[in-house]
Amino acid sequence: MSSGFLATNNSGQVLISSDTRNLHLIEKINSPTYYDYYTANYGGINIVRYRTNCAVTPVPFFTMPSTSSWYGVTRITNVSTNVWDIELIKSSVNNSFPEMYVFADPRASTATEAYGLKVFRNDGTASFDSRLRPLAVSGGLSVVHPNNPIGSLPYGLDPRYCGSSEATSGGAFAPDQYNQYNTYNVSLPVKPMFYFPSLAQAQRESFYSVAENECDGGTYKGNCIGAERDYFWSSTYWAFYRGAIKKGTNQVFAGWTAVDFGCNWVYTRDSALLGIGNGSSGSTGGTWPYSNETLNLSAATVIIGDAARYD
Amino acid sequence: MYGMNVFNSAGALTYSTSDVTWNQVDFFFVSGGGSASNSYPVLSGKEVLTAQMFINSPPSDRRALAHTITVSGTTVSVSGGSEAVYVLVLMR
C-alpha cells in the first residue's frame, strides 16, 4: 500500500486497512422473525428465520443460550431488495433461541454520531467507521463433523406401513455423535457469539421387513396344497441431518441436528394355487430417502466474538 | 504501550489496536455448478480465511454439494459445488 491507512495489532495482524472493509454491527435481532418448523422428536428440530435489512450481504453471528442445544446457520437468502432471511437450526425442545448479531461492511449502515474515526477506500466508500461498532473477534477454529450422526442404526421399528410413531422413530434416529474441540487457546467470553455456516449433511436410513404365508389347505413336505398367499411388508425409515455446533465451558462441539425425516413403505401380495402363481398385487407409500451418505465434511469455519460488546 | 484507541462521544472505547478482527476482502456469489477465480493482491503475506454459505436449503431428495474453496497465493478459487453459495473472503 503506497497510500491510505493501515493499523495493525501487536501480532502484525491487520485491524484497519483502506484496502479492505471491516465488518460492523448492522442490527441485533433478539428472537426469530419466523418459526418455520418444530417437532420435539429426532432430538428436537427447530427451523427458524431471522429477517434483516442490509444493503450488502450480511455476516451473521449467533449466541447459544443453552449448552444442551446444537445450532447452525443453514442459509442466507436475499428475499427482496436489501431484505435477507438468515435461517438457523436448533436441536432440543427448549424454547430459548439465539440472539442474532448481523454484521456487514460499513456501506450497509449510516452513523448518526459526530465523533469517531472513519477510513475510506480509494473509491470513496467507507472501509472502517468506529461509530458503527466494528467487529472484534475473540478467536476462531476449524471443526470437522463426525462422519455418522448416530452411533448405531435403530432397531425394532415397525415394518408394516411405516407404522412406528414419530416419537418412536425419532427417538431411534436422534443424533448422538460429535467431535470435541477444546478452546483453551480460544477463550470463550462470558457471552460468546459464533459465526458458523452449516455445510455438512448426512442422511441415514434403516430398513425393516417381515413376510407371512397363508395356506388354505394342508401342507405336504412344507408345500401348500391348495390356495396360498405370500405377504411381504417393508419400511425404510430415514432422517436427514445438518452439521451444527454446541458450546461447552471451554469447548466447542461439532455434531449434528436433524432437519427432516420420513419413511417409505412397500407391500406386496403373491397368490398361488397348487404352487402355481396366479396373481400378485402391491402398493407403496410415504417418502423415499435419497441417499444414505454424508456430504460436505470438509473443515468448517467457526469465528467467535464477544456478544456483550454489542449489547 | 503503542497503539491507538478510538472512543465514542460518551468516552466509551469502541475499537483499539489491542483488538483482533478479520477484515472483509470480498463477498461474492457462485452459482450451483459454477466456478470463480478471483485475485486479491491485498492478501499477499496475510492470513486468509474463507467461508461459504448456502443460499437455499439443501434438499433431502438429491445430493447437495458445497463448493471447494482453495487459496493459492493471492488467488481464491471456488468450484465443484452443486449449490449456489455466497463466498466470504477474510484477511488479517
Side-chain angles (χ1 to χ4, degrees):
Chain A
M1 182 174 68
S2 57
S3 61
F5 184 89
L6 176 67
T8 60
N9 61 18
N10 283 341
S11 301
Q13 298 166 335
V14 174
L15 282 171
I16 306 169
S17 168
S18 53
D19 287 334
T20 61
R21 299 185 196 276
N22 285 70
L23 296 169
H24 299 72
L25 182 69
I26 302 302
E27 182 182 15
K28 175 192 173 186
I29 309 174
N30 291 322
S31 59
T33 316
Y34 301 102
Y35 295 79
D36 291 333
Y37 184 77
Y38 169 75
T39 177
N41 301 312
Y42 291 83
I45 304 174
N46 301 267
I47 302 176
V48 298
R49 278 177 292 149
Y50 296 73
R51 179 157 288 185
T52 187
N53 289 282
C54 191
V56 298
T57 312
V59 179
F61 283 71
F62 57 87
T63 59
M64 296 194 210
S66 169
T67 54
S68 60
S69 299
W70 298 86
Y71 306 88
V73 169
T74 44
R75 66 182 171 98
I76 295 177
T77 304
N78 188 198
V79 293
S80 62
T81 303
N82 296 343
V83 179
W84 301 79
D85 274 352
I86 301 164
E87 184 180 80
L88 179 135
I89 54 172
K90 182 181 86 74
S91 70
S92 74
V93 297
N94 66 62
N95 60 2
S96 56
F97 284 87
E99 296 167 320
M100 189 69 71
Y101 295 78
V102 181
F103 289 83
D105 76 55
R107 292 173 297 177
S109 188
T110 303
T112 55
E113 196 172 353
Y115 299 93
L117 172 70
K118 189 172 184 179
V119 177
F120 294 90
R121 291 165 58 98
N122 60 6
D123 62 3
T125 60
S127 164
F128 173 88
D129 191 333
S130 69
R131 302 168 299 172
L132 298 176
R133 310 177 82 177
L135 173 70
V137 303
S138 307
L141 64 162
S142 183
V143 301
V144 176
H145 293 76
N147 184 67
N148 202 340
I150 51 178
S152 59
L153 284 174
Y155 57 88
L157 299 183
D158 189 348
R160 291 180 173 83
Y161 307 108
C162 296
S164 291
S165 68
E166 183 184 309
T168 301
S169 58
F173 277 96
D176 58 6
Q177 299 296 294
Y178 58 84
N179 291 330
Q180 176 178 325
Y181 296 87
N182 294 317
T183 58
Y184 48 82
N185 58 347
V186 188
S187 300
L188 289 183
V190 174
K191 186 182 178 184
M193 61 179 184
F194 301 84
Y195 172 76
F196 169 66
S198 171
L199 297 175
Q201 309 160 51
Q203 188 168 278
R204 288 295 176 273
E205 61 194 55
S206 199
F207 176 83
Y208 306 87
S209 65
V210 63
E212 287 183 7
N213 174 269
E214 286 182 345
C215 177
D216 292 341
T219 59
Y220 176 73
K221 291 187 176 178
N223 297 315
C224 180
I225 303 173
E228 68 172 330
R229 290 161 300 281
D230 288 316
Y231 299 96
F232 179 78
W233 294 268
S234 69
S235 292
T236 302
Y237 295 82
W238 58 271
F240 185 61
Y241 307 89
R242 298 288 303 272
I245 58 173
K246 186 174 78 168
K247 73 170 182 180
T249 305
N250 282 305
Q251 304 89 20
V252 172
F253 302 93
W256 297 92
T257 296
V259 294
D260 196 8
F261 57 89
C263 183
N264 176 265
W265 57 264
V266 175
Y267 161 73
T268 59
R269 175 181 181 270
D270 294 317
S271 303
L273 181 63
L274 298 174
I276 301 172
N278 64 353
S280 64
S281 62
S283 56
T284 186
T287 51
W288 186 249
Y290 170 69
S291 177
N292 197 33
E293 65 178 334
T294 301
L295 297 175
N296 305 333
L297 263 194
S298 57
T301 298
V302 180
I303 304 174
I304 305 168
D306 183 359
R309 183 169 174 154
Y310 303 97
D311 284 338
Chain B
M1 178 172 183
Y2 297 97
M4 177 180 70
N5 289 335
V6 183
F7 299 89
N8 65 13
S9 58
L13 182 65
T14 58
Y15 206 63
S16 153
T17 44
S18 63
D19 284 328
V20 177
T21 195
W22 286 98
N23 279 7
Q24 178 178 308
V25 177
D26 202 358
F27 211 149
F28 59 94
F29 169 86
V30 180
S31 63
S35 63
S37 183
N38 299 328
S39 182
Y40 306 101
V42 71
L43 297 183
S44 179
K46 299 297 189 297
E47 196 177 348
V48 182
L49 181 68
T50 61
Q52 61 181 308
M53 180 77 77
F54 283 128
I55 295 172
N56 300 301
S57 295
S60 56
D61 60 354
R62 63 173 171 80
R63 303 181 89 215
L65 291 173
H67 286 272
T68 299
I69 305 176
T70 57
V71 179
S72 177
T74 58
T75 300
V76 176
S77 301
V78 184
S79 64
S82 63
E83 307 303 305
V85 297
Y86 291 114
V87 176
L88 176 63
V89 182
L90 301 168
M91 63 81 86
R92 66 183 181 185

